[in-house]
Amino acid sequence: MEKGKISSLQMALMMYPTIVATALLGVPSITAKYAKNDLWLSPIFAALIGCLTVYIAFKLHKLYPKQTVIQLSERIIGVIPGKILGFLFLFFYIQNTGLILRSYGEFVVDSFLVNTPISVIMASMVLLCAFIVRGGIEVLGRAAEFFVPVFILPICVLIILLIPDLEFKNIFPILGNGIMPPIKGAIAPGGWFSEFFLIIFLLPFLADMKKGMKSGMMTVFAVMMTLMVVNLMVLFVLGSTTATKVYPLMNVSRYISIGDFFEHLESAVMAVWIVGAFVKISVFYYAAALGTAQWLNLSSYRPVVWPIGILIVEFGFWSFPSSMDVNRNDINVYPFQGILMQTIIPLLLLVIAVIRKKNGQSKGSNSS
């Protein structure tokens, strides 16, 4: 079904913007509602979910090599229950790709292209991603290699230019209300870290499998450090008002003013968002298309790319009538839904697989 191969570095470069892209804009304010000035600690606790998710995905892959979660579910719990669980995974990924696309469209329309219909913004992004997905895993890996530096550079420039506006006293008192607020604040970014389970769709195509686990864990660490630094920058500039902002990083970028001519760097934030959203939607889109073809036992996933793209756009409108519903979903629904579908259920699958394998080995030894 997929003949291409990618390196472990390409997998890491695909996953980094997949997690960071949407987390950069909204997660600081969501985390600040619970953790207050300790919001920079929450990514550390959330990263534990990411490490666990990478470990689960890698162990499942070692037990059932060359298979994605859609295929190995049938091997672990049976054909019919596996098909049902596979359908739930596909529904989850298609729906949430629609959510990511809708969030992208809302941000672009609200912040920049206010007179452009959101349907045009969303459809053009899906069209672009569809060409990448049809190109295969190798094209997706090369696109990530090209775009990730473009994604990281504006973030670094923003951080450097913000240094004169930083108020370091905003970080105090550290853990003034104990450790529970940052743990509660870690629930939302934990939902984003659970997206590392997407590597289950990439591991079968790694050319250097021995580096797969290491690359996954290093990416978790890189995402954790990025979110910590961004949360600190936002806290140092906005202080206690962080929780009241919808897009704190956008508000922070407006503080930059050097020599009365180098200012209004919102376009840098938009560049980060568009490039990151492109890679993220493409990875989710690829997982949904590949998984759908495997669920239907097709010989190629390319015939389902365009129908899945139409579904993604439709889900972007069906699931969320307004931008307020999108924000509520990010706070109240997605973190729990993401952790359930991408960490807890795969953990249960791994436990069942290990038990079945041990029982099979014990039966084999008894019969011999």
Side-chain angles (χ1 to χ4, degrees):
M1 186 175 293
E2 173 62 79
K3 306 298 183 184
K5 291 287 183 181
I6 58 172
S7 66
S8 58
L9 175 61
Q10 287 177 318
M11 182 185 75
L13 292 176
M14 289 163 68
M15 291 308 302
Y16 178 79
T18 296
I19 312 302
V20 170
T22 48
L24 278 180
L25 290 184
V27 166
S29 64
I30 299 171
T31 304
K33 287 180 173 65
Y34 302 97
K36 309 301 181 188
N37 60 307
D38 291 322
L39 77 162
W40 61 280
L41 290 171
S42 293
I44 299 175
F45 299 110
L48 298 177
I49 296 174
C51 291
L52 176 62
T53 304
V54 169
Y55 177 81
I56 292 168
F58 194 79
K59 287 298 180 181
L60 281 171
H61 176 73
K62 285 197 76 174
L63 288 172
Y64 300 94
K66 306 300 180 185
Q67 294 188 359
T68 70
V69 69
I70 306 300
Q71 298 166 310
L72 61 85
S73 296
E74 298 180 28
R75 297 275 302 276
I76 294 172
I77 59 176
V79 176
I80 295 177
K83 286 289 187 186
I84 295 171
L85 182 59
F87 177 81
L88 292 177
F89 273 114
L90 293 174
F91 183 84
F92 170 81
Y93 282 120
I94 293 172
Q95 183 200 29
N96 281 287
T97 309
L99 167 64
I100 298 161
L101 183 67
R102 178 64 179 273
S103 299
Y104 159 78
E106 292 284 354
F107 173 72
V108 173
V109 170
D110 290 347
S111 303
F112 298 97
L113 306 178
V114 292
N115 294 321
T116 305
I118 191 172
S119 56
V120 174
I121 302 294
M122 292 168 63
S124 59
M125 176 58 88
V126 166
L127 181 65
L128 185 61
C129 293
F131 286 117
I132 291 287
V133 172
R134 281 184 63 87
I137 190 77
E138 287 187 2
V139 175
L140 191 52
R142 289 170 188 161
E145 278 185 307
F146 178 78
F147 284 115
V148 166
V150 181
F151 175 78
I152 294 174
L153 183 61
I155 300 174
C156 297
V157 171
L158 280 174
I159 291 170
I160 293 169
L161 295 178
L162 278 170
I163 291 175
D165 298 297
L166 302 183
E167 293 287 344
F168 296 100
K169 64 182 180 181
N170 291 340
I171 198 174
F172 299 107
I174 298 174
L175 294 177
N177 297 313
I179 201 169
M180 285 309 297
I183 290 177
K184 290 179 181 177
I187 294 174
W192 272 263
F193 272 97
S194 69
E195 292 173 358
F196 272 103
F197 187 66
L198 281 165
I199 68 172
I200 198 74
F201 292 94
L202 307 178
L203 288 173
F205 312 114
L206 279 193
D208 47 350
M209 178 53 62
K210 292 180 180 179
K211 298 180 182 178
M213 173 79 87
K214 181 181 177 182
S215 296
M217 292 298 182
M218 290 297 292
T219 312
V220 172
F221 179 77
V223 171
M224 180 194 76
M225 292 303 299
T226 303
L227 293 183
M228 280 183 63
V229 171
V230 169
N231 283 1
L232 280 171
M233 293 298 108
V234 169
L235 176 65
F236 289 152
V237 176
L238 298 179
S240 59
T241 63
T242 302
T244 64
K245 310 297 183 183
V246 179
Y247 303 119
L249 191 62
M250 176 66 72
N251 297 97
V252 164
S253 67
R254 292 177 178 140
Y255 278 76
I256 297 172
S257 180
I258 299 175
D260 293 328
F261 71 94
F262 196 70
E263 53 189 13
H264 299 296
L265 295 185
E266 297 94 329
S267 56
V269 178
M270 184 179 182
V272 170
W273 176 246
I274 291 177
V275 171
F278 167 70
V279 176
K280 177 163 191 162
I281 292 169
S282 296
V283 172
F284 268 77
Y285 193 167
Y286 178 80
L290 181 67
T292 300
Q294 291 172 340
W295 192 77
L296 295 172
N297 296 321
L298 302 179
S299 58
S300 173
Y301 69 89
R302 287 174 178 82
V304 303
V305 169
W306 295 113
I308 293 293
I310 295 170
L311 273 177
I312 288 169
V313 176
E314 293 297 339
F315 268 108
F317 289 107
W318 288 342
S319 303
F320 312 103
S322 68
S323 59
M324 291 299 294
D325 294 305
V326 176
N327 293 330
R328 286 194 205 100
N329 182 80
D330 287 343
I331 299 172
N332 301 321
V333 179
Y334 180 72
F336 301 99
Q337 186 187 47
I339 293 171
L340 173 64
M341 291 299 298
Q342 299 176 114
T343 304
I344 296 175
I345 290 179
L347 178 60
L348 294 175
L349 284 175
L350 179 59
V351 170
I352 295 170
V354 170
I355 292 172
R356 289 190 64 177
K357 191 155 190 174
K358 285 185 177 179
N359 288 340
Q361 289 174 348
S362 61
K363 287 180 181 177
S365 60
N366 290 336
S367 61
S368 62

